[in-house]
Amino acid sequence: MTIKTLACVAVALLLALPVAHAAAAETAPKPPSAPGYTMPATETWDLASDGGEVYRIFVSKPAKDSEAPEDGYPVLYVLDGNAYFGSFAQARWVAEYLPVGKAIIVGVGYPGDEAWDVRRMNDFTAPLLDPPPRQWRSLAQYKSGARKPFLDFLTGTLRAEISRRYPVDPDRHSLFGHSLGGLFALHALYERPDAFHSIVAASPSMEWNEQGMLSEERAFTARLTGGKVGKTSRLMVVVGDQDTDDDPEPARALAERLDRLSGHGLRVRLLRYPDEVHVTVPARSVTDVMRFAFQIR
């Protein structure tokens, strides 16, 4: 075979390689699907309320060989757990050697893999006005107004189950809610001031029902200044200055009004993020929320 013939054969083989490789790829078995990632130090289980509503509960906790504090671990309940639990759990896990990591995060969500479930509107709100305000008309097709039984579930059934499963500090249960969840967090403060050690209302939807929450605020203020409220939660209001869904100005004014009640035992903090929009506030606020909820002051 001449050198010229050898060269032609080599070229032909090289040209055939891509075709052969493609054919082999078509016939080769596909690799098995890889398992999904499970974050360390977490658990997930479902729990039904007294009314039969089923919630997906996400828990991030210190390692089994970690020694619990003498009084038990502080607990932070994170509403919209499907969306936000992962951020809080990861932050707690990597900071487990710090005081803020020696705590328990409880995400309260719903069965399924969606970030938000339409049930949240019912759980977090007062009944939608009839007729509904113009900007809320599209939501009239969904249920609303079940915030009382949901608050009962948080402070009753769920809290009892968390206390049964884990060593927790009964005096240091805190709450985080965003958007409508932030509105619910304010309702929890006004309705049951002593139910939580600390409450964080992030980007609260103050405009719900034409700012109907203002009447609850006035009633709470009257009770507090009238000496009818004993121990009350600490409150942190978190907003993003670029939020176009929930104007940050009403939240700023809220914090200013409530701060005037410091002489009656209410402690209020306002935290503003200049560059954040509505949906980015929760992720941006994680470590600040954990410090507020878990550090003893």
Side-chain angles (χ1 to χ4, degrees):
M1 186 178 291
T2 66
I3 294 177
K4 182 177 180 181
T5 302
L6 286 171
C8 291
V9 171
V11 170
L13 289 172
L14 289 173
L15 292 174
L17 281 175
V19 177
H21 178 74
E26 291 179 358
T27 58
K30 292 183 179 180
S33 297
Y37 171 71
T38 300
M39 186 176 294
T42 59
E43 298 177 352
T44 304
W45 33 274
D46 290 350
L47 183 66
S49 68
D50 290 343
E53 297 287 344
V54 177
Y55 295 92
R56 178 66 44 83
I57 308 302
F58 308 84
V59 177
S60 173
K61 59 184 180 60
K64 289 183 178 180
D65 57 355
S66 177
E67 185 175 347
E70 182 179 351
D71 296 325
Y73 292 113
V75 183
L76 174 64
Y77 297 86
V78 176
L79 303 183
D80 287 314
N82 302 65
Y84 303 134
F85 170 76
S87 297
F88 282 92
Q90 186 272 343
R92 190 216 61 78
W93 175 48
V94 300
E96 196 162 301
Y97 62 94
L98 298 174
V100 294
K102 295 179 174 64
I104 292 176
I105 305 291
V106 177
V108 186
Y110 306 93
D113 295 326
E114 297 297 324
W116 292 276
D117 191 292
V118 71
R119 287 173 54 192
R120 70 191 294 273
M121 193 178 100
N122 194 33
D123 286 335
F124 299 162
T125 65
L128 187 61
L129 294 175
D130 186 16
R134 178 174 298 181
Q135 70 268 36
W136 302 108
R137 286 177 184 171
S138 63
L139 298 180
Q141 61 183 306
Y142 304 112
K143 291 181 179 179
S144 62
R147 60 184 184 172
K148 183 184 183 304
F150 182 65
L151 183 56
D152 290 340
F153 171 74
L154 280 182
T155 58
T157 302
L158 177 58
R159 185 173 297 188
E161 184 63 18
I162 294 297
S163 299
R164 186 181 72 83
R165 290 174 179 248
Y166 315 105
V168 301
D169 186 337
D171 297 323
R172 297 180 64 197
H173 292 259
S174 298
L175 176 67
F176 169 87
H178 173 251
S179 194
L180 284 178
L183 188 71
F184 174 85
L186 292 176
H187 169 69
L189 170 66
Y190 301 153
E191 182 68 17
R192 300 181 193 174
D194 62 347
F196 295 95
H197 172 264
S198 303
I199 290 177
V200 179
S203 306
S205 299
M206 301 282 291
E207 73 279 11
W208 179 262
N209 276 352
E210 298 180 341
Q211 299 190 75
M213 185 61 76
L214 292 176
S215 62
E216 290 188 55
E217 179 193 330
R218 288 190 290 269
F220 167 74
T221 298
R223 287 160 50 214
L224 186 63
T225 56
K228 298 180 180 179
V229 175
K231 183 180 177 182
T232 184
S233 307
R234 302 158 65 237
L235 174 68
M236 183 163 73
V237 180
V238 182
V239 294
D241 285 346
Q242 304 304 315
D243 192 338
T244 57
D245 293 308
D246 287 308
D247 185 349
E249 182 57 24
R252 182 207 61 77
L254 166 72
E256 186 176 283
R257 290 193 304 272
L258 294 181
D259 189 50
R260 298 180 190 135
L261 302 175
S262 62
H264 299 277
L266 182 63
R267 297 291 180 265
V268 181
R269 184 183 304 178
L270 175 66
L271 190 58
R272 303 180 67 156
Y273 297 118
D275 300 322
E276 304 304 330
V277 299
H278 190 72
V279 297
T280 63
V281 164
R284 175 67 176 79
S285 70
V286 167
T287 53
D288 291 320
V289 170
M290 289 173 58
R291 290 191 191 100
F292 180 74
F294 296 147
Q295 289 182 346
I296 299 177
R297 297 181 180 274

